[in-house]
Amino acid sequence: MPGEKTPNDRELPAFQRIAAELRAMILEGVLAPGEKVPSEMELKERHGVSKMTARNALVSLRDQGVLESRHGKGFFVRSFEPIRRNATKRLSKELWGGGQSMWSVDVHDRPMVPLNEEPVEVIPPTQVARTMGLAAGELVCKRARIYTVDDVPVMTAVSYLPVDIVAGSPITQVDTGPGGIYARLADLGHEPKRFREELRSRMPSPEEAASLGMGAGTPVMHIVRTAADGSGRIVEVNDMLLDASRFVMEYDFTD
């Protein structure tokens, strides 16, 4: 029951005990998504702690992605519906080859809006150049964007593509057209035939957290995807950073 203390609970700092009680109330449905949680003053009086201790409990849950704060209104149970990212479905040729966005697999009833920077030619990071088998100083086309859902930034992505393949094509423009980058690579005779993704979880840098509007204590999922054409040439390296509190990773496998 919320509020019931075990011997282990009593060994925890007071703010962690309060946070654990609130988390239990959320998991049990006592506090529903979008509902306001008890204020600092209410928690202070209920638990006999200082206002700072009560605030630390609320802030810790906010930083864990459980609560969200609204200026001047208090703390609320996070109501953002997680994005279900299905890596196996979203990379199928049936999807992008049919002119659809891979994000249509992830978000069905709400748009994912890309905020695209103008593509530029740059010298890529050393690891990207090594992965793509590029000579020192060789340029790539860099496409950077931030994706938002419900006006909330959820992911950053930076794609690197060989200039000798994409120069003069729609890939060097902000809007690549139906099916996105992979459909245009196919138009250029470099249809992606093999994908590989590496995923790791880590804490973001201050700059990364700021770009996604994340509070302290929330991890990110760092995904690096490579796309290779039929000859085995790497035609894209995509470096993605996802707010871990916003996503569920989903995989489908068949025999």
Side-chain angles (χ1 to χ4, degrees):
M1 293 294 293
E4 183 177 339
K5 295 182 176 62
T6 67
N8 287 338
D9 289 336
R10 297 189 188 97
E11 296 173 3
L12 293 174
F15 84 92
Q16 290 185 8
R17 293 200 303 271
I18 298 169
E21 175 184 306
L22 290 172
R23 180 186 286 274
M25 294 172 70
I26 293 168
L27 292 175
E28 294 171 13
V30 177
L31 291 170
E35 185 175 347
K36 185 176 182 180
V37 301
S39 66
E40 296 168 15
M41 288 303 299
E42 290 172 321
L43 293 174
K44 173 180 179 294
E45 295 174 1
R46 179 185 302 177
H47 295 276
V49 296
S50 68
K51 187 177 179 180
M52 180 59 71
T53 296
R55 178 166 181 78
N56 286 343
L58 295 169
V59 169
S60 70
L61 289 176
R62 181 199 65 191
D63 291 345
Q64 293 167 37
V66 178
L67 303 180
E68 56 188 11
S69 57
R70 301 176 189 172
H71 184 68
K73 296 182 178 180
F75 290 81
F76 296 76
V77 179
R78 186 184 289 272
S79 58
F80 186 90
E81 179 185 350
I83 301 162
R84 304 191 72 84
R85 183 184 189 275
N86 191 307
T88 49
K89 288 182 178 179
R90 68 202 307 275
L91 292 175
S92 69
K93 182 181 177 181
E94 180 181 344
L95 189 72
W96 52 262
Q100 299 182 62
S101 166
M102 62 179 62
W103 292 109
S104 62
V105 173
D106 302 334
V107 284
H108 308 285
D109 56 353
R110 50 188 176 155
M112 177 170 276
V113 180
L115 306 175
N116 297 323
E117 296 181 7
E118 191 75 30
V120 294
E121 291 187 6
V122 299
I123 295 175
T126 301
Q127 184 57 50
V128 171
R130 186 178 297 119
T131 298
M132 299 179 75
L134 301 178
E138 192 169 349
L139 297 177
V140 295
C141 174
K142 175 185 175 183
R143 297 182 54 87
R145 55 264 193 219
I146 298 177
Y147 292 91
T148 67
V149 173
D150 296 339
D151 296 323
V152 176
V154 297
M155 177 183 127
T156 64
V158 181
S159 288
Y160 302 93
L161 303 105
V163 167
D164 65 297
I165 291 178
V166 306
S169 76
I171 290 176
T172 63
Q173 302 170 15
V174 171
D175 184 359
T176 57
I181 289 175
Y182 298 145
R184 300 294 77 76
L185 284 170
D187 295 341
L188 294 168
H190 292 272
E191 176 184 321
K193 294 289 189 179
R194 178 176 57 84
F195 297 98
R196 183 172 186 268
E197 287 192 346
E198 292 185 353
L199 184 154
R200 67 185 64 188
S201 179
R202 61 173 174 81
M203 299 307 297
S205 69
E207 295 77 16
E208 291 169 338
S211 69
L212 288 170
M214 299 166 57
T218 302
V220 292
M221 288 182 281
H222 185 192
I223 302 175
V224 177
R225 179 170 67 236
T226 56
D229 65 12
S231 71
R233 182 178 182 183
I234 301 300
V235 292
E236 184 209 28
V237 174
N238 191 348
D239 194 319
M240 295 164 276
L241 209 63
L242 289 66
D243 180 342
S245 70
R246 308 288 189 182
F247 283 85
V248 173
M249 310 304 286
E250 185 176 88
Y251 302 89
D252 290 327
F253 300 97
T254 57
D255 294 334

